[in-house]
Tab-separated table of all heavy atoms in Angstrom:
chain	number	residue	atom	x	y	z
A	1346	VAL	N	-16.071	26.523	13.398
A	1346	VAL	CA	-16.905	27.592	13.967
A	1346	VAL	C	-16.867	28.828	13.065
A	1346	VAL	O	-17.889	29.465	12.810
A	1346	VAL	CB	-16.432	27.936	15.405
A	1346	VAL	CG1	-16.996	29.260	15.880
A	1346	VAL	CG2	-16.815	26.811	16.369
A	1347	ALA	N	-15.683	29.148	12.549
A	1347	ALA	CA	-15.554	30.349	11.704
A	1347	ALA	C	-16.319	30.199	10.390
A	1347	ALA	O	-16.736	31.192	9.802
A	1347	ALA	CB	-14.081	30.638	11.427
A	1348	LEU	N	-16.498	28.959	9.945
A	1348	LEU	CA	-17.209	28.731	8.682
A	1348	LEU	C	-18.691	28.434	8.906
A	1348	LEU	O	-19.450	28.283	7.951
A	1348	LEU	CB	-16.563	27.579	7.911
A	1348	LEU	CG	-15.201	27.904	7.284
A	1348	LEU	CD1	-14.548	26.640	6.751
A	1348	LEU	CD2	-15.363	28.931	6.155
A	1349	ALA	N	-19.104	28.377	10.167
A	1349	ALA	CA	-20.460	27.927	10.486
A	1349	ALA	C	-21.538	28.881	10.004
A	1349	ALA	O	-22.666	28.475	9.753
A	1349	ALA	CB	-20.600	27.714	11.992
A	1350	ASN	N	-21.212	30.158	9.858
A	1350	ASN	CA	-22.207	31.112	9.361
A	1350	ASN	C	-22.056	31.343	7.860
A	1350	ASN	O	-22.543	32.339	7.337
A	1350	ASN	CB	-22.129	32.445	10.135
A	1350	ASN	CG	-20.772	33.119	10.018
A	1350	ASN	OD1	-19.826	32.520	9.509
A	1350	ASN	ND2	-20.669	34.347	10.475
A	1351	ALA	N	-21.390	30.396	7.154
A	1351	ALA	CA	-21.156	30.550	5.716
A	1351	ALA	C	-20.736	31.989	5.427
A	1351	ALA	O	-21.408	32.721	4.702
A	1351	ALA	CB	-22.402	30.172	4.907
A	1352	PRO	N	-19.605	32.425	6.005
A	1352	PRO	CA	-19.259	33.852	5.974
A	1352	PRO	C	-18.903	34.335	4.574
A	1352	PRO	O	-18.402	33.567	3.745
A	1352	PRO	CB	-18.023	33.929	6.886
A	1352	PRO	CG	-17.382	32.585	6.765
A	1352	PRO	CD	-18.537	31.623	6.637
A	1353	LYS	N	-19.158	35.598	4.329
A	1353	LYS	CA	-18.648	36.212	3.104
A	1353	LYS	C	-17.144	36.369	3.203
A	1353	LYS	O	-16.438	36.344	2.202
A	1353	LYS	CB	-19.280	37.586	2.900
A	1353	LYS	CG	-20.719	37.512	2.469
A	1353	LYS	CD	-21.269	38.902	2.203
A	1353	LYS	CE	-22.724	38.795	1.783
A	1353	LYS	NZ	-23.444	40.035	2.037
A	1354	LEU	N	-16.683	36.586	4.426
A	1354	LEU	CA	-15.264	36.836	4.631
A	1354	LEU	C	-14.756	35.964	5.772
A	1354	LEU	O	-15.275	36.022	6.888
A	1354	LEU	CB	-15.062	38.320	4.966
A	1354	LEU	CG	-13.627	38.806	5.166
A	1354	LEU	CD1	-12.784	38.562	3.907
A	1354	LEU	CD2	-13.621	40.286	5.517
A	1355	LEU	N	-13.760	35.152	5.460
A	1355	LEU	CA	-13.117	34.324	6.475
A	1355	LEU	C	-11.726	34.871	6.732
A	1355	LEU	O	-10.947	35.074	5.808
A	1355	LEU	CB	-13.000	32.876	5.993
A	1355	LEU	CG	-12.187	31.966	6.937
A	1355	LEU	CD1	-12.979	31.652	8.195
A	1355	LEU	CD2	-11.753	30.693	6.244
A	1356	LEU	N	-11.425	35.133	8.015
A	1356	LEU	CA	-10.121	35.674	8.384
A	1356	LEU	C	-9.481	34.695	9.355
A	1356	LEU	O	-10.089	34.330	10.353
A	1356	LEU	CB	-10.317	37.035	9.052
A	1356	LEU	CG	-11.085	38.006	8.162
A	1356	LEU	CD1	-11.652	39.145	8.970
A	1356	LEU	CD2	-10.191	38.512	7.052
A	1357	ALA	N	-8.275	34.257	9.054
A	1357	ALA	CA	-7.672	33.219	9.891
A	1357	ALA	C	-6.213	33.543	10.148
A	1357	ALA	O	-5.444	33.812	9.229
A	1357	ALA	CB	-7.815	31.851	9.219
A	1358	ASP	N	-5.859	33.534	11.441
A	1358	ASP	CA	-4.486	33.859	11.843
A	1358	ASP	C	-3.762	32.549	12.162
A	1358	ASP	O	-3.995	31.952	13.202
A	1358	ASP	CB	-4.528	34.776	13.072
A	1358	ASP	CG	-3.261	35.607	13.216
A	1358	ASP	OD1	-2.234	35.227	12.618
A	1358	ASP	OD2	-3.302	36.620	13.932
A	1359	GLU	N	-2.927	32.116	11.259
A	1359	GLU	CA	-2.159	30.875	11.404
A	1359	GLU	C	-3.027	29.706	11.860
A	1359	GLU	O	-2.765	29.075	12.895
A	1359	GLU	CB	-1.027	31.098	12.402
A	1359	GLU	CG	-0.201	32.302	11.997
A	1359	GLU	CD	1.261	32.122	12.323
A	1359	GLU	OE1	1.735	30.965	12.226
A	1359	GLU	OE2	1.913	33.118	12.646
A	1360	PRO	N	-4.029	29.369	11.048
A	1360	PRO	CA	-4.995	28.349	11.488
A	1360	PRO	C	-4.456	26.924	11.475
A	1360	PRO	O	-5.139	26.020	11.947
A	1360	PRO	CB	-6.132	28.501	10.468
A	1360	PRO	CG	-5.469	28.989	9.233
A	1360	PRO	CD	-4.355	29.885	9.714
A	1361	THR	N	-3.253	26.720	10.939
A	1361	THR	CA	-2.722	25.348	10.892
A	1361	THR	C	-1.464	25.191	11.742
A	1361	THR	O	-0.792	24.174	11.660
A	1361	THR	CB	-2.403	24.929	9.440
A	1361	THR	OG1	-1.393	25.814	8.913
A	1361	THR	CG2	-3.627	25.010	8.543
A	1362	SER	N	-1.169	26.197	12.582
A	1362	SER	CA	0.116	26.184	13.293
A	1362	SER	C	0.281	24.981	14.222
A	1362	SER	O	1.393	24.585	14.511
A	1362	SER	CB	0.290	27.486	14.075
A	1362	SER	OG	-0.734	27.608	15.035
A	1363	GLN	N	-0.826	24.424	14.704
A	1363	GLN	CA	-0.706	23.286	15.628
A	1363	GLN	C	-1.163	21.980	14.996
A	1363	GLN	O	-1.451	21.014	15.700
A	1363	GLN	CB	-1.531	23.559	16.893
A	1363	GLN	CG	-1.051	24.793	17.635
A	1363	GLN	CD	-1.809	25.006	18.930
A	1363	GLN	OE1	-2.175	24.061	19.621
A	1363	GLN	NE2	-2.048	26.255	19.282
A	1364	LEU	N	-1.248	21.970	13.661
A	1364	LEU	CA	-1.791	20.779	12.995
A	1364	LEU	C	-0.704	19.998	12.273
A	1364	LEU	O	0.277	20.576	11.789
A	1364	LEU	CB	-2.867	21.192	11.979
A	1364	LEU	CG	-4.039	21.997	12.541
A	1364	LEU	CD1	-5.062	22.246	11.450
A	1364	LEU	CD2	-4.693	21.272	13.716
A	1365	ASP	N	-0.886	18.684	12.202
A	1365	ASP	CA	0.013	17.890	11.377
A	1365	ASP	C	-0.369	18.114	9.909
A	1365	ASP	O	-1.370	18.778	9.608
A	1365	ASP	CB	-0.052	16.406	11.764
A	1365	ASP	CG	-1.447	15.827	11.608
A	1365	ASP	OD1	-2.219	16.288	10.735
A	1365	ASP	OD2	-1.785	14.911	12.379
A	1366	GLU	N	0.441	17.564	9.013
A	1366	GLU	CA	0.263	17.856	7.596
A	1366	GLU	C	-1.128	17.467	7.094
A	1366	GLU	O	-1.779	18.219	6.363
A	1366	GLU	CB	1.342	17.115	6.804
A	1366	GLU	CG	1.601	17.709	5.445
A	1366	GLU	CD	2.681	16.915	4.715
A	1366	GLU	OE1	3.685	16.563	5.374
A	1366	GLU	OE2	2.496	16.650	3.524
A	1367	GLU	N	-1.583	16.302	7.544
A	1367	GLU	CA	-2.869	15.811	7.052
A	1367	GLU	C	-4.018	16.711	7.510
A	1367	GLU	O	-4.883	17.090	6.705
A	1367	GLU	CB	-3.079	14.378	7.547
A	1367	GLU	CG	-4.253	13.701	6.877
A	1367	GLU	CD	-4.640	12.413	7.601
A	1367	GLU	OE1	-3.746	11.785	8.208
A	1367	GLU	OE2	-5.825	12.059	7.552
Side-chain angles (χ1 to χ4, degrees):
V1346 164
L1348 288 170
N1350 60 350
K1353 287 183 181 157
L1354 182 59
L1355 173 73
L1356 304 162
D1358 204 340
E1359 307 215 34
T1361 61
S1362 62
Q1363 299 184 36
L1364 303 184
D1365 60 30
E1366 202 180 317
E1367 191 193 331

